[in-house]
Amino acid sequence: MIRRGAFLAGAAAVLSGCNRYQTSLGGEAAESANFLRLFWTFMAVCTLMYVLLVGGMLIALWRSRKAREALVVENGRHHASAPILRPLLIGWAALILVGLSALAIASFVTDRSNAANASHPKLVVTVTANQWWWDVQYSLQGTTTALRTANELHLPVGVPAEVILESNDVIHSLWIPNLAGKQDLIPGRVNDLQLWPKKTGLYRGQCAEFCGLQHAHMALDVTVESKTDFARWLTAQKRPAFAPQGPVETAGYRYVTSRACASCHTVSGTQAGGTVGPDLTHFASRRSIAAGTRPMDRGNLTAWVADPQGLKPGTNMPKIPMRRDEVRAVVAYLERLK
């Protein structure tokens, strides 16, 4: 029974990866589709060469067992007993040349295609990595201010976007396998990543460079949606934070905007203007908390507010001594921020 249970658990773990939430074989964006085509081209050419090579070796072993006299002596010189060997070697050399040329051309075409896709971005987003969360800012046309959110990236389908990559502390690496390859975020240096999503859906980004204790718990929720839904989301994000309703939410509002929370977090329309931690203006509209560590719900949010170190050891958010009623009030107010 134990072995069967272990087998079923292992099978479930393997099958859980067979979804399109996070896969390098998705091809849901222009760059990832180009890389996917290049991958299958390499796979086809290399598989063909491998099969031919192994087949040749097997034929040679079979022939050697059938006739040990592989060579005959004629006029004092050695000659191959198989007259077809010479043209086979010439053909093999030609096949190698053609195969390598095909791979080189495919690589060049992929590189030029990705460069062309990146030449005219219509949306600019800045993603800044921190230990261990993502700061996301949208540069909006016609305004000098940027819309700021955290641990989520919304993109309109069919619109090429340039993602500017920065880091505030150590080297990180952003990888959204469904949409693009990996790109490093290096302190003091600005990199960029081009995303041109072709299919709507929910995808997962991940830090792919070890960056400290909570490296594995540094995810980015990526939502590719229709242009209409993206415009609606953008409009909602531009609004200031909702005002509290009722005595419990009001108590939470006063705590968040006047105590330690306000020194690290921003809530637009209030006196909370900290920039060290994630922007909380529309915190409750996000899918997860603590950079994908837990789904967004009241139980997880309560545990996070009461003891962030217990949920994500090493995070820069300290445990703040709070009474039970204060935790309840803060959670109620944060749930209001949609």
Side-chain angles (χ1 to χ4, degrees), residues 132 204 214 216-219 221 288-296 300 304 311-313:
W132 290 273
R204 175 185 170 93
Q214 289 296 327
H217 291 155
M218 188 172 171
D221 292 323
S288 63
I289 62 174
T293 304
R294 293 288 190 276
M296 175 70 74
N300 289 327
W304 176 248
L311 193 62
K312 195 170 184 178

Side-chain angles (χ1 to χ4, degrees), residues 112-314:
R112 292 300 85 201
S113 177
N114 286 338
N117 292 339
S119 59
H120 300 291
K122 296 183 180 179
L123 177 68
V124 178
V125 185
T126 300
V127 175
T128 304
N130 303 270
Q131 290 176 312
W132 290 273
W133 61 283
W134 306 94
D135 186 20
V136 182
Q137 298 187 48
Y138 290 79
S139 299
L140 304 178
Q141 295 181 351
T143 178
T144 58
T145 60
L147 187 153
R148 187 174 179 227
T149 183
N151 300 320
E152 66 173 3
L153 179 63
H154 283 249
L155 298 171
V157 67
V159 176
E162 179 184 20
V163 182
I164 299 173
L165 303 175
E166 301 177 352
S167 173
N168 279 335
D169 35 52
V170 300
I171 296 176
H172 302 266
S173 183
L174 178 59
W175 186 31
I176 312 172
N178 295 72
L179 305 182
K182 301 175 185 177
Q183 185 62 277
D184 286 345
L185 299 88
I186 302 173
R189 178 175 176 178
V190 178
N191 281 348
D192 63 89
L193 182 68
Q194 282 68 43
L195 300 178
W196 192 348
K198 298 297 185 179
K199 296 180 181 179
T200 60
L202 175 64
Y203 310 113
R204 175 185 170 93
Q206 181 67 46
C207 180
E209 180 78 24
F210 181 73
C211 55
L213 181 62
Q214 289 296 327
H215 160 70
H217 291 155
M218 188 172 171
L220 179 70
D221 292 323
V222 182
T223 301
V224 178
E225 53 201 346
S226 67
K227 296 177 183 178
T228 301
D229 289 340
F230 177 76
R232 187 181 298 115
W233 174 84
L234 208 59
T235 300
Q237 294 294 309
K238 292 178 183 178
R239 292 196 298 259
F242 288 119
Q245 294 183 347
V248 178
E249 289 184 9
T250 301
Y253 163 80
R254 291 172 179 167
Y255 193 100
V256 169
T257 58
S258 63
R259 304 283 289 274
C261 306
S263 62
C264 294
H265 298 284
T266 291
V267 181
S268 67
T270 74
Q271 60 187 5
T275 58
V276 177
D279 190 302
L280 300 181
T281 304
H282 299 288
F283 170 76
S285 67
R286 299 167 193 165
R287 296 181 58 87
S288 63
I289 62 174
T293 304
R294 293 288 190 276
M296 175 70 74
D297 61 43
R298 180 170 298 180
N300 289 327
L301 184 54
T302 300
W304 176 248
V305 171
D307 185 11
Q309 296 298 320
L311 193 62
K312 195 170 184 178

